[in-house]
Amino acid sequence: DEKEKFEPTVFRDTIVQGLNEAGNDLEAIAKFLDAAGSRLDYRRYADTLFDILVAGSMLAPGGTRIDDNDKTKMTNHCVFFADEDHDAIRNYAQVCKG
């Protein structure tokens, strides 16, 4: 049996690029995540996906982002950058729940 390589940074880059290309349209983001789920291994990279959807990038132990302020490795389409009101947070939760 050949083992698959564990490459969370490649996964992060793919997800972040798709989220950024979707723009501010939560419906487009949901469609991207749904379509990407058929070719990306969400189970294998669940922690990375959660980090991106909540904080906008991968997190190191202790909770610091590990994107080196490289805009291609982070997205503003996440819970941390959402408007601070109930409806906005609920909409992001619906996207994440998908």
Side-chain angles (χ1 to χ4, degrees):
D1 268 339
E2 235 181 90
K3 290 191 176 195
E4 280 187 55
K5 248 181 158 177
F6 184 69
E7 298 183 280
T9 56
V10 173
F11 177 84
R12 175 208 51 210
D13 295 346
T14 303
I15 294 295
V16 166
Q17 179 183 4
L19 293 177
N20 289 340
E21 288 174 359
N24 292 327
D25 182 2
L26 286 180
E27 196 167 316
I29 289 172
K31 285 180 183 178
F32 161 73
L33 290 171
D34 188 42
S38 65
R39 58 184 167 79
L40 298 175
D41 192 350
Y42 283 171
R43 283 190 179 162
R44 182 179 182 98
Y45 299 107
D47 291 338
T48 302
L49 181 61
F50 182 79
D51 289 351
I52 293 167
L53 294 176
V54 172
S57 189
M58 286 175 52
L59 299 177
T64 58
R65 290 184 7 187
I66 53 173
D67 52 43
D68 300 322
N69 288 321
D70 181 345
K71 299 294 183 193
T72 65
K73 297 178 182 178
M74 55 193 273
T75 185
N76 290 336
H77 307 298
C78 63
V79 173
F80 281 9
F81 287 99
D83 291 335
E84 293 184 28
D85 67 63
H86 182 72
D87 289 335
I89 301 300
R90 183 179 50 210
N91 289 338
Y92 273 94
Q94 291 299 320
V95 168
C96 294
K97 191 167 99 173

